[in-house]
Amino acid sequence: MLNAIHWPENYLPGHTDNFVSNEVIVSNLSVQDIWPFLVNAHLWPSYYGNASDIDLNGAEYLELNLVFFFKTFGFPVNAQVVEYAPPKDHQPARIAWHGWAGEPDCSDRLDVHHAWLIEDLPHDRVRILTQETQIGRPAQELAHTKPNPMLNGHQDWLDGLVKIAKSKI
């Protein structure tokens, strides 16, 4: 049985303005191969063209409760890591952050919960799942945009993550 994302109640898919889910299952990689490229956000722009201006406030890697900044999809995003479970004891690795753009109570405010789950599967495979829920008027607009920029952008992120991990093994 495959594992699932842990959702905060107010970001539960189906009850937000926008939701996207992307997943890949790849052979000859493991959670240990993938994890370093995800938690070192300084590397994101090297394999994901939609991330820039990463600022981890002096930290080297993402970690629980870290507040950080990056730009993506044209939005300047402040974020805080709200879940952090590195690979351990055959359990899935997990990381999630709450991100926001805009001032509270403004019509252009965007709030997101972006979560990742990485788990080893039988037969030398790894599953990488990333899902995001969004709240706010920009999310409502994104939900109706075709092609869906979030779905396509997150697929690029997954593809880049797999490519850089494969290049390093």
Side-chain angles (χ1 to χ4, degrees), residues 105-124:
D105 301 321
C106 287
S107 65
D108 64 347
R109 171 76 174 204
L110 176 67
D111 281 278
V112 307
H113 182 83
H114 192 138
W116 294 80
L117 182 145
I118 310 164
E119 62 183 328
D120 288 322
L121 299 175
H123 309 291
D124 193 28

PDB file of all heavy atoms in Angstrom, residues 105-124:
ATOM      1  N   ASP A 105      -5.312  39.289   4.253  1.00  0.00           N
ATOM      2  CA  ASP A 105      -6.584  39.968   3.976  1.00  0.00           C
ATOM      3  C   ASP A 105      -6.591  40.805   2.698  1.00  0.00           C
ATOM      4  O   ASP A 105      -7.513  41.588   2.484  1.00  0.00           O
ATOM      5  CB  ASP A 105      -7.025  40.834   5.169  1.00  0.00           C
ATOM      6  CG  ASP A 105      -7.192  40.015   6.427  1.00  0.00           C
ATOM      7  OD1 ASP A 105      -7.703  38.871   6.326  1.00  0.00           O
ATOM      8  OD2 ASP A 105      -6.798  40.489   7.510  1.00  0.00           O
ATOM      9  N   CYS A 106      -5.568  40.662   1.840  1.00  0.00           N
ATOM     10  CA  CYS A 106      -5.578  41.345   0.545  1.00  0.00           C
ATOM     11  C   CYS A 106      -6.161  40.406  -0.502  1.00  0.00           C
ATOM     12  O   CYS A 106      -6.041  39.190  -0.405  1.00  0.00           O
ATOM     13  CB  CYS A 106      -4.163  41.755   0.141  1.00  0.00           C
ATOM     14  SG  CYS A 106      -3.531  43.133   1.105  1.00  0.00           S
ATOM     15  N   SER A 107      -6.758  40.981  -1.537  1.00  0.00           N
ATOM     16  CA  SER A 107      -7.416  40.162  -2.560  1.00  0.00           C
ATOM     17  C   SER A 107      -6.428  39.327  -3.373  1.00  0.00           C
ATOM     18  O   SER A 107      -6.812  38.330  -3.963  1.00  0.00           O
ATOM     19  CB  SER A 107      -8.246  41.039  -3.496  1.00  0.00           C
ATOM     20  OG  SER A 107      -7.394  41.912  -4.219  1.00  0.00           O
ATOM     21  N   ASP A 108      -5.156  39.728  -3.386  1.00  0.00           N
ATOM     22  CA  ASP A 108      -4.170  38.972  -4.159  1.00  0.00           C
ATOM     23  C   ASP A 108      -3.350  38.007  -3.296  1.00  0.00           C
ATOM     24  O   ASP A 108      -2.351  37.469  -3.743  1.00  0.00           O
ATOM     25  CB  ASP A 108      -3.249  39.921  -4.920  1.00  0.00           C
ATOM     26  CG  ASP A 108      -2.405  40.791  -4.009  1.00  0.00           C
ATOM     27  OD1 ASP A 108      -2.679  40.858  -2.779  1.00  0.00           O
ATOM     28  OD2 ASP A 108      -1.454  41.416  -4.510  1.00  0.00           O
ATOM     29  N   ARG A 109      -3.768  37.765  -2.071  1.00  0.00           N
ATOM     30  CA  ARG A 109      -3.072  36.856  -1.154  1.00  0.00           C
ATOM     31  C   ARG A 109      -3.181  35.419  -1.666  1.00  0.00           C
ATOM     32  O   ARG A 109      -4.248  34.976  -2.106  1.00  0.00           O
ATOM     33  CB  ARG A 109      -3.678  36.957   0.250  1.00  0.00           C
ATOM     34  CG  ARG A 109      -3.213  35.948   1.259  1.00  0.00           C
ATOM     35  CD  ARG A 109      -1.836  36.225   1.791  1.00  0.00           C
ATOM     36  NE  ARG A 109      -1.511  35.279   2.861  1.00  0.00           N
ATOM     37  CZ  ARG A 109      -0.646  35.496   3.808  1.00  0.00           C
ATOM     38  NH1 ARG A 109       0.002  36.641   3.837  1.00  0.00           N
ATOM     39  NH2 ARG A 109      -0.410  34.597   4.734  1.00  0.00           N
ATOM     40  N   LEU A 110      -2.063  34.692  -1.611  1.00  0.00           N
ATOM     41  CA  LEU A 110      -2.025  33.284  -1.971  1.00  0.00           C
ATOM     42  C   LEU A 110      -1.377  32.521  -0.829  1.00  0.00           C
ATOM     43  O   LEU A 110      -0.295  32.883  -0.370  1.00  0.00           O
ATOM     44  CB  LEU A 110      -1.208  33.080  -3.257  1.00  0.00           C
ATOM     45  CG  LEU A 110      -1.000  31.637  -3.711  1.00  0.00           C
ATOM     46  CD1 LEU A 110      -2.329  31.014  -4.132  1.00  0.00           C
ATOM     47  CD2 LEU A 110       0.017  31.575  -4.847  1.00  0.00           C
ATOM     48  N   ASP A 111      -2.052  31.490  -0.339  1.00  0.00           N
ATOM     49  CA  ASP A 111      -1.510  30.597   0.682  1.00  0.00           C
ATOM     50  C   ASP A 111      -1.481  29.193   0.113  1.00  0.00           C
ATOM     51  O   ASP A 111      -2.448  28.747  -0.517  1.00  0.00           O
ATOM     52  CB  ASP A 111      -2.377  30.616   1.945  1.00  0.00           C
ATOM     53  CG  ASP A 111      -2.117  31.838   2.796  1.00  0.00           C
ATOM     54  OD1 ASP A 111      -1.144  31.816   3.555  1.00  0.00           O
ATOM     55  OD2 ASP A 111      -2.884  32.816   2.680  1.00  0.00           O
ATOM     56  N   VAL A 112      -0.373  28.486   0.345  1.00  0.00           N
ATOM     57  CA  VAL A 112      -0.236  27.134  -0.178  1.00  0.00           C
ATOM     58  C   VAL A 112       0.312  26.198   0.896  1.00  0.00           C
ATOM     59  O   VAL A 112       0.956  26.627   1.850  1.00  0.00           O
ATOM     60  CB  VAL A 112       0.690  27.080  -1.420  1.00  0.00           C
ATOM     61  CG1 VAL A 112       0.239  28.068  -2.481  1.00  0.00           C
ATOM     62  CG2 VAL A 112       2.141  27.315  -1.051  1.00  0.00           C
ATOM     63  N   HIS A 113       0.022  24.933   0.710  1.00  0.00           N
ATOM     64  CA  HIS A 113       0.691  23.859   1.451  1.00  0.00           C
ATOM     65  C   HIS A 113       1.278  22.948   0.387  1.00  0.00           C
ATOM     66  O   HIS A 113       0.551  22.352  -0.404  1.00  0.00           O
ATOM     67  CB  HIS A 113      -0.297  23.099   2.343  1.00  0.00           C
ATOM     68  CG  HIS A 113       0.366  22.035   3.154  1.00  0.00           C
ATOM     69  ND1 HIS A 113       1.000  22.307   4.345  1.00  0.00           N
ATOM     70  CD2 HIS A 113       0.515  20.700   2.942  1.00  0.00           C
ATOM     71  CE1 HIS A 113       1.495  21.183   4.841  1.00  0.00           C
ATOM     72  NE2 HIS A 113       1.226  20.190   3.998  1.00  0.00           N
ATOM     73  N   HIS A 114       2.621  22.899   0.338  1.00  0.00           N
ATOM     74  CA  HIS A 114       3.321  22.082  -0.659  1.00  0.00           C
ATOM     75  C   HIS A 114       4.015  20.944   0.074  1.00  0.00           C
ATOM     76  O   HIS A 114       4.830  21.175   0.956  1.00  0.00           O
ATOM     77  CB  HIS A 114       4.338  22.919  -1.423  1.00  0.00           C
ATOM     78  CG  HIS A 114       4.874  22.219  -2.631  1.00  0.00           C
ATOM     79  ND1 HIS A 114       5.063  22.856  -3.818  1.00  0.00           N
ATOM     80  CD2 HIS A 114       5.240  20.930  -2.839  1.00  0.00           C
ATOM     81  CE1 HIS A 114       5.531  21.983  -4.707  1.00  0.00           C
ATOM     82  NE2 HIS A 114       5.651  20.811  -4.118  1.00  0.00           N
ATOM     83  N   ALA A 115       3.672  19.720  -0.285  1.00  0.00           N
ATOM     84  CA  ALA A 115       4.183  18.545   0.423  1.00  0.00           C
ATOM     85  C   ALA A 115       4.861  17.579  -0.538  1.00  0.00           C
ATOM     86  O   ALA A 115       4.462  17.442  -1.702  1.00  0.00           O
ATOM     87  CB  ALA A 115       3.035  17.839   1.141  1.00  0.00           C
ATOM     88  N   TRP A 116       5.859  16.899  -0.018  1.00  0.00           N
ATOM     89  CA  TRP A 116       6.607  15.881  -0.751  1.00  0.00           C
ATOM     90  C   TRP A 116       6.633  14.609   0.078  1.00  0.00           C
ATOM     91  O   TRP A 116       6.812  14.655   1.297  1.00  0.00           O
ATOM     92  CB  TRP A 116       8.044  16.322  -0.977  1.00  0.00           C
ATOM     93  CG  TRP A 116       8.204  17.509  -1.875  1.00  0.00           C
ATOM     94  CD1 TRP A 116       8.037  18.821  -1.535  1.00  0.00           C
ATOM     95  CD2 TRP A 116       8.588  17.495  -3.244  1.00  0.00           C
ATOM     96  NE1 TRP A 116       8.288  19.614  -2.620  1.00  0.00           N
ATOM     97  CE2 TRP A 116       8.639  18.828  -3.672  1.00  0.00           C
ATOM     98  CE3 TRP A 116       8.897  16.472  -4.139  1.00  0.00           C
ATOM     99  CZ2 TRP A 116       8.985  19.178  -4.969  1.00  0.00           C
ATOM    100  CZ3 TRP A 116       9.250  16.817  -5.424  1.00  0.00           C
ATOM    101  CH2 TRP A 116       9.288  18.165  -5.839  1.00  0.00           C
ATOM    102  N   LEU A 117       6.513  13.485  -0.596  1.00  0.00           N
ATOM    103  CA  LEU A 117       6.643  12.165   0.028  1.00  0.00           C
ATOM    104  C   LEU A 117       7.532  11.342  -0.899  1.00  0.00           C
ATOM    105  O   LEU A 117       7.267  11.267  -2.101  1.00  0.00           O
ATOM    106  CB  LEU A 117       5.281  11.513   0.187  1.00  0.00           C
ATOM    107  CG  LEU A 117       5.252  10.155   0.866  1.00  0.00           C
ATOM    108  CD1 LEU A 117       3.985  10.016   1.693  1.00  0.00           C
ATOM    109  CD2 LEU A 117       5.355   9.022  -0.116  1.00  0.00           C
ATOM    110  N   ILE A 118       8.578  10.768  -0.337  1.00  0.00           N
ATOM    111  CA  ILE A 118       9.506   9.951  -1.128  1.00  0.00           C
ATOM    112  C   ILE A 118       9.635   8.617  -0.418  1.00  0.00           C
ATOM    113  O   ILE A 118       9.974   8.567   0.765  1.00  0.00           O
ATOM    114  CB  ILE A 118      10.887  10.619  -1.245  1.00  0.00           C
ATOM    115  CG1 ILE A 118      10.739  12.072  -1.697  1.00  0.00           C
ATOM    116  CG2 ILE A 118      11.778   9.841  -2.205  1.00  0.00           C
ATOM    117  CD1 ILE A 118      11.971  12.897  -1.469  1.00  0.00           C
ATOM    118  N   GLU A 119       9.344   7.542  -1.153  1.00  0.00           N
ATOM    119  CA  GLU A 119       9.425   6.225  -0.514  1.00  0.00           C
ATOM    120  C   GLU A 119      10.030   5.190  -1.450  1.00  0.00           C
ATOM    121  O   GLU A 119       9.775   5.190  -2.655  1.00  0.00           O
ATOM    122  CB  GLU A 119       8.051   5.762  -0.019  1.00  0.00           C
ATOM    123  CG  GLU A 119       7.000   5.572  -1.074  1.00  0.00           C
ATOM    124  CD  GLU A 119       5.654   5.194  -0.481  1.00  0.00           C
ATOM    125  OE1 GLU A 119       5.584   4.528   0.563  1.00  0.00           O
ATOM    126  OE2 GLU A 119       4.640   5.593  -1.081  1.00  0.00           O
ATOM    127  N   ASP A 120      10.838   4.323  -0.841  1.00  0.00           N
ATOM    128  CA  ASP A 120      11.384   3.205  -1.585  1.00  0.00           C
ATOM    129  C   ASP A 120      10.295   2.170  -1.798  1.00  0.00           C
ATOM    130  O   ASP A 120       9.463   1.932  -0.916  1.00  0.00           O
ATOM    131  CB  ASP A 120      12.562   2.583  -0.832  1.00  0.00           C
ATOM    132  CG  ASP A 120      13.800   3.462  -0.857  1.00  0.00           C
ATOM    133  OD1 ASP A 120      14.064   4.089  -1.906  1.00  0.00           O
ATOM    134  OD2 ASP A 120      14.508   3.521   0.172  1.00  0.00           O
ATOM    135  N   LEU A 121      10.301   1.573  -2.980  1.00  0.00           N
ATOM    136  CA  LEU A 121       9.348   0.529  -3.340  1.00  0.00           C
ATOM    137  C   LEU A 121      10.115  -0.751  -3.663  1.00  0.00           C
ATOM    138  O   LEU A 121      11.320  -0.704  -3.966  1.00  0.00           O
ATOM    139  CB  LEU A 121       8.518   0.953  -4.561  1.00  0.00           C
ATOM    140  CG  LEU A 121       7.658   2.202  -4.410  1.00  0.00           C
ATOM    141  CD1 LEU A 121       6.999   2.540  -5.749  1.00  0.00           C
ATOM    142  CD2 LEU A 121       6.622   2.034  -3.322  1.00  0.00           C
ATOM    143  N   PRO A 122       9.438  -1.889  -3.623  1.00  0.00           N
ATOM    144  CA  PRO A 122      10.105  -3.146  -3.994  1.00  0.00           C
ATOM    145  C   PRO A 122      10.667  -3.084  -5.419  1.00  0.00           C
ATOM    146  O   PRO A 122      10.233  -2.266  -6.236  1.00  0.00           O
ATOM    147  CB  PRO A 122       8.980  -4.183  -3.902  1.00  0.00           C
ATOM    148  CG  PRO A 122       7.948  -3.572  -3.031  1.00  0.00           C
ATOM    149  CD  PRO A 122       8.044  -2.092  -3.230  1.00  0.00           C
ATOM    150  N   HIS A 123      11.607  -3.951  -5.687  1.00  0.00           N
ATOM    151  CA  HIS A 123      12.205  -4.101  -7.016  1.00  0.00           C
ATOM    152  C   HIS A 123      13.040  -2.891  -7.413  1.00  0.00           C
ATOM    153  O   HIS A 123      13.031  -2.464  -8.578  1.00  0.00           O
ATOM    154  CB  HIS A 123      11.142  -4.413  -8.076  1.00  0.00           C
ATOM    155  CG  HIS A 123      10.241  -5.536  -7.710  1.00  0.00           C
ATOM    156  ND1 HIS A 123      10.668  -6.850  -7.647  1.00  0.00           N
ATOM    157  CD2 HIS A 123       8.939  -5.548  -7.338  1.00  0.00           C
ATOM    158  CE1 HIS A 123       9.665  -7.617  -7.275  1.00  0.00           C
ATOM    159  NE2 HIS A 123       8.596  -6.857  -7.081  1.00  0.00           N
ATOM    160  N   ASP A 124      13.738  -2.305  -6.409  1.00  0.00           N
ATOM    161  CA  ASP A 124      14.692  -1.218  -6.663  1.00  0.00           C
ATOM    162  C   ASP A 124      14.034  -0.014  -7.340  1.00  0.00           C
ATOM    163  O   ASP A 124      14.512   0.496  -8.352  1.00  0.00           O
ATOM    164  CB  ASP A 124      15.864  -1.738  -7.513  1.00  0.00           C
ATOM    165  CG  ASP A 124      17.028  -0.771  -7.561  1.00  0.00           C
ATOM    166  OD1 ASP A 124      17.214   0.005  -6.596  1.00  0.00           O
ATOM    167  OD2 ASP A 124      17.747  -0.773  -8.582  1.00  0.00           O
TER     168      ASP A 124
END
